[in-house]
Amino acid sequence: MAERMNQKLKILYLMKILLEKTDETHSITVQEMITALASYGITAERKSLYSDLESLRTYGLDVIGVQENRNYYYHVGNRQFELAELKLLVDSVQSARFITARKSAELIHKIEGLASQYEASKLNRQVYVTERVKTMNESIYYNVDSIHTAISENAQIRFQYFNWNVDKEMLLRRNGGYYEISPWALTWNDENYYLVGYDSSETKIKHFRVDKMLHIEMLPEKREGREVFQEFDMAVYERKMFGMFDGREENVKLLCDNAMAGIVIDRFGKNVPFLKKDAEHFTMNVKVAVSRQFFSWVMGLGSGIQIIGPVWVVDEMKEEIRRLSKQYLQENQHESGITGSDKKI
């Protein structure tokens, strides 16, 4: 009975064998197919296999047969995903900080199943190109699914939110109290996944790192803030935020060296007008969330970019520079701030 059932599955196992054991540089003969099917408890004759191969072609599998001397060699040509595309998927999974190391390994193993066993070994090497910091919150995989479900069902959610403390322990915000948010979008920014939603208690848009969310529950209440998000543009929102840190929004005027054109286009897009200042400089006006992260971005570009307005933003930039100078340039910092036990050997 079991043997008869296996025979009914013959064409499915034949497709499995072809997908696993062949690609554009690896082929198998009909005799090798017969041997491989036998390992699954299935008997096959040459004539029936020729018919099965033709059925697989009709189904849409790109089975290619090439004659060499007296033998025909068969392999699968075009696949749903090319090897280069699978490498991109693997590297994206491996690079994503919001996916834990364990879940990354599981996803990559599934992606390898889309390639032949020979191509899968190349994908396996791709995994170890570089080591990257990964999130430690294993529930993120399911957090994303819960948020998508709430968005599709137009429902509010509640959750707890945490930060890491100096002892590398989860420290719940609000003393463990729950946040109640209307979820409207998910975005991947600065190598992290963020929920963007509406907080009706503060009547404002907020964002939260998904890997720092715990115990997400869908609420019976419908989402609020629809009128706010009707005019919401995720691309504009992300450009305003630096490292996804909040700050007071302001139209800031920047003076830029011409050499900085590519950098500001990468940051703010091509639609921001450049106004020629002189032969070597241009100015631009951009809306940003003014924060220390924004100031750090400007300072990181050295003399290439300067904030020239409005006055309060320039003053805050000066204050940030003074703060950093005080932090690093105090006369007695070396003696008072570094003990013998702190010195590197």
Side-chain angles (χ1 to χ4, degrees):
M1 184 71 177
E3 184 178 345
R4 202 180 321 158
M5 181 62 70
N6 284 349
Q7 290 299 121
K8 291 181 179 181
L9 298 176
K10 182 179 70 168
I11 194 168
L12 295 177
Y13 278 109
L14 179 60
M15 181 168 67
K16 173 181 170 68
I17 290 164
L18 288 166
L19 288 171
E20 288 182 351
K21 296 183 178 294
T22 77
D23 52 45
E24 291 185 350
T25 57
H26 299 86
S27 302
I28 59 174
T29 63
V30 170
Q31 184 56 51
E32 288 170 329
M33 294 180 206
I34 293 173
T35 302
L37 284 169
S39 69
Y40 293 108
I42 297 171
T43 58
E45 299 178 352
R46 284 179 174 270
K47 188 177 294 186
S48 68
L49 284 182
Y50 293 135
S51 175
D52 291 336
L53 290 170
E54 192 56 41
S55 295
L56 288 174
R57 290 192 185 100
T58 302
Y59 171 74
L61 191 66
D62 186 25
V63 181
I64 299 172
V66 178
Q67 185 176 8
E68 293 183 14
N69 298 323
R70 293 185 177 182
N71 287 325
Y72 266 90
Y73 294 84
Y74 296 87
H75 71 274
V76 175
N78 292 327
R79 293 174 178 256
Q80 187 173 5
F81 292 96
E82 297 177 7
L83 180 59
E85 294 171 329
L86 294 177
K87 285 183 177 180
L88 285 175
L89 291 175
V90 166
D91 197 49
S92 296
V93 169
Q94 185 68 6
S95 299
R97 293 181 59 180
F98 65 86
I99 306 177
T100 64
R102 188 176 75 86
K103 185 57 67 177
S104 292
E106 291 178 6
L107 290 173
I108 289 168
H109 181 67
K110 291 177 181 179
I111 293 172
E112 289 173 356
L114 299 172
S116 71
Q117 61 189 29
Y118 310 102
E119 291 178 333
S121 65
K122 297 177 182 178
L123 293 174
N124 204 26
R125 286 195 293 272
Q126 184 86 352
V127 176
Y128 301 103
V129 170
T130 183
E131 292 187 13
R132 300 177 174 96
V133 175
K134 307 287 282 184
T135 183
M136 289 173 279
N137 182 4
E138 187 65 38
S139 65
I140 185 173
Y141 197 70
Y142 307 100
N143 286 356
V144 171
D145 184 60
S146 297
I147 294 168
H148 275 301
T149 300
I151 290 174
S152 66
E153 296 190 14
N154 193 35
Q156 295 183 34
I157 60 173
R158 74 172 197 156
F159 55 89
Q160 291 175 303
Y161 200 63
F162 74 89
N163 284 327
W164 296 105
N165 65 15
V166 70
D167 296 316
K168 301 179 182 178
E169 299 169 334
M170 291 183 183
L171 185 65
L172 292 176
R173 302 275 295 269
R174 294 185 174 179
N175 294 318
Y178 279 80
Y179 292 75
E180 294 188 1
I181 298 293
S182 297
W184 286 95
L186 282 163
T187 183
W188 189 358
N189 184 286
D190 196 28
E191 299 190 72
N192 289 301
Y193 229 151
Y194 290 88
L195 160 70
V196 180
Y198 184 74
D199 186 339
S200 56
S201 66
E202 298 185 25
T203 62
K204 64 184 293 188
I205 294 174
K206 289 185 175 180
H207 58 262
F208 302 86
R209 265 182 54 176
V210 176
D211 61 304
K212 292 188 174 183
M213 298 168 63
L214 297 172
H215 309 125
I216 298 176
E217 299 175 20
M218 193 161 61
L219 300 176
E221 290 81 8
K222 297 300 182 183
R223 291 184 299 174
E224 299 178 342
R226 182 176 300 276
E227 62 285 351
V228 176
F229 276 87
Q230 283 177 343
E231 304 296 327
F232 182 76
D233 187 319
M234 180 61 73
V236 172
Y237 182 78
E238 289 182 339
R239 285 199 297 267
K240 290 187 296 188
M241 300 295 169
F242 282 78
M244 293 300 281
F245 281 87
D246 284 325
R248 175 179 166 184
E249 287 191 21
E250 183 63 86
N251 281 304
V252 176
K253 187 172 185 178
L254 302 175
L255 174 64
C256 311
D257 288 352
N258 290 343
M260 295 289 107
I263 291 175
V264 295
I265 288 174
D266 288 342
R267 176 73 227 189
F268 300 106
K270 288 185 176 180
N271 293 330
V272 178
F274 290 178
L275 302 177
K276 183 177 179 180
K277 175 72 173 177
D278 53 42
E280 298 178 351
H281 301 86
F282 65 91
T283 63
M284 58 185 295
N285 290 280
V286 290
K287 179 169 279 191
V288 302
V290 178
S291 64
R292 284 182 175 175
Q293 286 67 35
F294 167 63
F295 293 145
S296 296
W297 179 79
V298 174
M299 286 188 283
L301 297 172
S303 60
I305 294 183
Q306 179 184 349
I307 302 171
I308 57 176
V311 173
W312 78 266
V313 179
V314 175
D315 289 342
E316 286 208 5
M317 179 63 153
K318 291 177 180 178
E319 180 58 35
E320 179 65 6
I321 293 170
R322 283 192 290 268
R323 185 188 68 82
L324 290 171
S325 296
K326 183 178 179 181
Q327 181 175 343
Y328 286 99
L329 298 179
Q330 288 179 337
E331 290 182 1
N332 298 324
Q333 181 177 353
H334 184 74
E335 289 82 6
S336 61
I338 302 178
T339 67
S341 60
D342 291 328
K343 292 179 180 177
K344 291 184 178 180
I345 298 175

